[in-house]
Amino acid sequence: MKALVWEGANELAVRQVPDPQIRNEQDAIVRVRRTVTCGSDLHLLGGYVPFMERGDVLGHEFLGDIVEVGPQVRNHKVGDRVVVCSFISCGKCWYCQQQQFSLCDNGNTNPMITENVWGSAPGGCYGYSHALGGFAGSHAEYIRVPYADQGAFTVPDAVSDERALFASDSAPTGWMGADLAGVKPGDVVAVWGAGAVGQMAARASVLLGADRVIVIDRLDNRLEMAQTHLGVETLNYEQQDIGAELLERSGGRGPDVCIEAVGMESHSGGPQLWYDQIKQQLRIESDRPVAAREAIYNCRKGGSVFVLGVFAGMVDKFPLGALMNKGLTLRGAQQHGQRYIPMLLERMARGELVTEHLATHTMPLDEAPRGYEMFKQKIDGCVRAVFQPTS
């Protein structure tokens, strides 16, 4: 079958790879209908996650049809149209029982790597390096889905492929950020990043009753998209004083909840960007935490900060003093998608959660390297590039 594989830092190619096979009784094989780029993939492409191997298949956000099931799969049958959570979990371990699915004890088949790096191993993730299990990704014609009864969800007939696709990762990630940050009616919420995850966190905040939701970015097309499709306020940090604007819009206190949806390659308009970029390129620090610093600094006293953007290692100049002395609550997680996807599909069916606008560019899998270049360089206003491996 054809698949998009990693050939080294900033090198991608579409190659022939072996077809996936049922390995365990709870597996399913899915024929991929849609698979989409994610900002966290760019960290792999740039070589910032050091556990990739040449020939690894990329991609973790996808939708398709089940073509084969293992003998222990009970909830699905051949022909089902399913969206699959990007994180792999067993559904039975202690963490899964607490609905902390991305922390599953059994989803990651290479736990030693992250136990050494982070102290404990999270669950596995499709197409996201051998640190998270070494699973083949979704930018392919077919994919093996472990624990299919736990991670695959039948898509309602009323929900299109284009809408359901984002229930795989972007929508549950954004919803989790708003939920676990404690967004409640009357809150003022600020979201750093107007990509797909940031927009979904903003929409979740609206649906959870926030009084004002403010999305911060520098790309006008993304800010216009957030205004048009989500009905939220926006700020351009290259043109406006973010701190002053947030104080003005929150009664002089600062936002109740600040959500960071940018990650380890965040951008800024000041000299700190060059400082962080140089240190990152020299591997003196692995991650650039610009947006996380700003979220902590601008959050109101006693407020909540949630980190949704992917970070892999160490950061410099982390404002721990501000965090402690302002009495902030800081949380972060990879997405617990199994906890949210059924509810999100219902909201999608009712028209409460619309995601089609995020798929700004659609193309066949053969053009995936070009799609990633458009996505990385933000060519032609690309927010997400969707690939169609099979018709």
Side-chain angles (χ1 to χ4, degrees):
M1 70 174 185
K2 289 188 296 187
L4 180 70
V5 302
W6 187 84
E7 295 282 9
N10 297 307
E11 293 184 29
L12 298 174
V14 177
R15 302 274 192 242
Q16 287 290 326
V17 302
D19 290 349
Q21 305 291 327
I22 296 286
R23 295 185 185 178
N24 299 300
E25 293 184 337
Q26 300 173 63
D27 288 353
I29 304 298
V30 169
R31 181 175 64 91
V32 180
R33 296 164 67 117
R34 301 283 192 281
T35 177
V36 64
T37 59
C38 178
S40 61
D41 293 330
L42 299 180
H43 311 325
L44 302 177
L45 183 58
Y48 295 113
V49 178
F51 301 106
M52 294 292 290
E53 296 180 6
R54 190 177 300 275
D56 285 348
V57 180
L58 294 176
H60 58 264
E61 194 164 2
F62 64 102
L63 166 144
D65 302 308
I66 291 181
V67 296
E68 186 178 357
V69 295
Q72 292 299 315
V73 174
R74 299 286 184 259
N75 298 337
H76 298 292
K77 63 184 184 301
V78 171
D80 285 355
R81 183 173 63 122
V82 295
V83 63
V84 180
C85 180
S86 62
F87 260 77
I88 299 164
S89 61
C90 71
K92 296 181 179 179
C93 71
W94 187 88
Y95 289 99
C96 289
Q97 292 300 306
Q98 310 307 310
Q99 295 194 313
Q100 298 176 336
F101 294 100
S102 70
L103 305 179
C104 175
D105 273 334
N106 300 312
N108 188 342
T109 56
N110 292 328
M112 185 177 297
I113 295 174
T114 44
E115 285 173 353
N116 289 330
V117 174
W118 298 328
S120 299
C125 181
Y126 298 100
Y128 212 80
S129 89
H130 292 264
L132 294 183
F135 293 94
S138 61
H139 296 340
E141 293 177 300
Y142 296 89
I143 185 171
R144 181 176 74 94
V145 175
Y147 303 114
D149 281 341
Q150 301 299 323
F153 299 86
T154 301
V155 178
D157 291 340
V159 183
S160 67
D161 286 357
E162 291 74 19
R163 182 173 296 186
L165 172 61
F166 292 94
S168 173
D169 187 284
S170 299
T173 299
W175 194 284
M176 179 192 71
D179 179 34
L180 298 188
V183 174
K184 60 185 184 299
D187 277 351
V188 175
V189 179
V191 180
W192 274 257
V197 170
Q199 289 193 42
M200 291 296 97
R203 180 59 179 159
S205 298
V206 171
L207 292 172
L208 288 170
D211 185 52
R212 302 184 79 164
V213 180
I214 305 150
V215 175
I216 302 161
D217 207 299
R218 66 187 174 97
L219 300 174
D220 287 335
N221 70 301
R222 297 188 179 201
L223 294 173
E224 290 170 5
M225 185 180 286
Q227 290 176 323
T228 301
H229 295 281
L230 310 178
V232 299
E233 304 172 44
T234 61
L235 292 172
N236 186 321
Y237 64 76
E238 291 188 335
Q239 301 174 12
Q240 296 165 283
D241 184 328
I242 298 303
E245 289 285 347
L246 290 177
L247 287 173
E248 177 67 24
R249 300 180 192 207
S250 60
R253 293 187 302 274
D256 303 287
V257 175
C258 291
I259 299 174
E260 192 275 357
V262 183
M264 64 189 288
E265 295 182 74
S266 58
H267 184 277
S268 76
Q272 62 178 325
L273 172 64
W274 307 112
Y275 169 86
D276 280 313
Q277 278 186 326
I278 291 170
K279 296 197 73 173
Q280 189 177 45
Q281 293 298 321
L282 294 174
R283 300 301 193 262
I284 298 173
E285 68 174 348
S286 60
D287 306 359
R288 299 198 305 261
V290 178
R293 291 188 193 118
E294 292 183 358
I296 291 170
Y297 185 79
N298 287 287
C299 192
R300 71 159 170 84
K301 293 179 288 186
S304 175
V305 177
F306 201 95
V307 176
L308 279 180
V310 171
F311 288 84
M314 303 295 183
V315 301
D316 194 12
K317 302 295 186 292
F318 183 78
L320 187 59
L323 177 72
M324 180 267 172
N325 286 287
K326 291 170 66 176
L328 303 180
T329 298
L330 174 66
R331 296 189 69 176
Q334 296 279 12
Q335 65 129 338
H336 305 312
Q338 291 85 344
R339 179 173 176 175
Y340 299 104
I341 291 173
M343 173 270 294
L344 293 172
L345 289 172
E346 291 176 3
R347 288 182 181 271
M348 287 178 171
R350 295 196 298 266
E352 296 176 7
L353 187 64
V354 176
T355 62
E356 292 93 331
H357 63 282
L358 300 171
T360 53
H361 296 75
T362 301
M363 60 195 70
L365 182 63
D366 286 332
E367 297 181 28
R370 179 176 70 88
Y372 263 97
E373 183 65 16
M374 295 180 68
F375 178 51
K376 180 179 180 180
Q377 303 300 335
K378 302 174 177 63
I379 296 169
D380 191 33
C382 184
V383 175
R384 286 291 183 92
V386 175
F387 310 133
Q388 295 176 291
T390 57
S391 59

